[in-house]
Amino acid sequence: MAKAALAPTRKLVDPGSPSSDPFRALRLALQLPAAEHQSKVLLVTSAEQGEGKSTLAANYALVSAIGYRNVLLIDADLRRPALHEVFGMARSPGLVDLAASNGHLKDYTRPIPNFGTLDLLTAGSSIRKTGDLTSSARMAAILEEAAQTYALVVVDSPPLLSAADASGIAALPGVSVLLVVDKGARRRVIRNALRKLELVNANVAGAVMNREGRLSTYGY
């Protein structure tokens, strides 16, 4: 049984305010018809902890869902899940519980009130070997079902240099990767992160810079 809902944090932008404009610009850039490797599944990751990937994933999904898109946000950072707290929901049941069952995606997702057509799949129960799940055939099947059900699937994952989880998801079919970079990140760290993505033949959609908690510049 799910626990009582928590109070949402203040990490979400107001979709009607200027603070949402950078996320709208990012959405449009990622949806450009000229993008040859456009995918319904967008993996949001970073090189290291503390670069704002979870906040960016949450706000990007929120802004994309307002108006016309049905969007699923998945918390696949099974080591340090945060999205259930961002939206004031219980952590489980979620992704881990879905993967361990023969159930359907719709039985584990929860709608986010007042945010258009945004659903959330939380991380779910705690497990030890997170990398085994994120790179598994079951994970691939979950993402495939999600892509068939939703117009956009945004996946938050652990940082690339902290665990193999992000690389495992990035290597799955139909996944594009958005790398979040902090303004103070060292070039060597960024190169190492990109190298890990290169090794699994990941489809890198682009990189976005996070300056002092604000999405300020992006590149593709």
Side-chain angles (χ1 to χ4, degrees):
M1 180 180 295
K3 298 179 182 178
L6 307 171
T9 67
R10 296 184 179 181
K11 295 181 179 180
L12 300 174
V13 299
D14 177 357
S17 74
S19 63
S20 68
D21 289 345
F23 296 97
R24 296 181 192 277
L26 177 61
R27 182 190 67 189
L28 290 174
L30 289 173
Q31 294 171 356
L32 283 176
E36 296 180 1
H37 303 289
Q38 193 173 5
S39 170
K40 280 189 174 184
V41 181
L42 181 69
L43 176 69
V44 180
T45 187
S46 59
E48 298 179 313
Q49 290 285 355
E51 297 190 277
K53 64 174 182 59
S54 297
T55 300
L56 188 144
N59 283 297
Y60 178 72
L62 185 158
V63 170
S64 296
I66 295 299
Y68 68 97
R69 302 197 71 176
N70 61 323
V71 177
L72 176 63
L73 177 61
I74 299 177
D75 194 341
D77 189 344
L78 305 180
R79 299 168 186 266
R80 298 181 65 178
L83 295 181
H84 64 287
E85 295 179 350
V86 171
F87 289 97
M89 292 190 172
R91 172 174 168 169
S92 60
L95 175 60
V96 172
D97 310 281
L98 170 59
S101 73
N102 293 319
H104 297 287
L105 180 66
K106 62 180 179 62
D107 298 324
Y108 290 84
T109 58
R110 283 168 272 178
I112 304 299
N114 306 316
F115 287 122
T117 53
L118 177 61
D119 289 347
L120 174 65
L121 179 62
T122 58
S125 301
S126 177
I127 59 171
R128 289 186 177 181
K129 297 182 178 180
T130 59
D132 291 347
L133 170 57
T134 53
S135 61
S136 68
R138 180 60 174 144
M139 185 69 184
I142 290 171
L143 292 182
E144 183 179 359
E145 182 183 359
Q148 292 173 353
T149 307
Y150 292 86
L152 175 66
V153 181
V154 180
V155 184
D156 179 28
S157 79
L160 286 157
L161 303 183
S162 299
D165 303 34
S167 298
I169 300 175
L172 296 176
V175 175
S176 293
V177 181
L178 181 67
L179 181 65
V180 180
V181 179
D182 183 77
K183 70 166 185 176
R186 293 164 293 175
R187 291 185 179 181
R188 176 177 57 82
V189 170
I190 298 172
R191 284 197 301 267
N192 289 342
L194 291 172
R195 177 59 178 162
K196 290 198 73 172
L197 292 173
E198 182 183 357
L199 288 173
V200 298
N201 236 358
N203 175 22
V204 181
V208 60
M209 182 171 288
N210 186 22
R211 292 184 177 176
E212 298 178 354
R214 294 175 296 175
L215 182 64
S216 55
T217 60
Y218 50 90
Y220 304 92

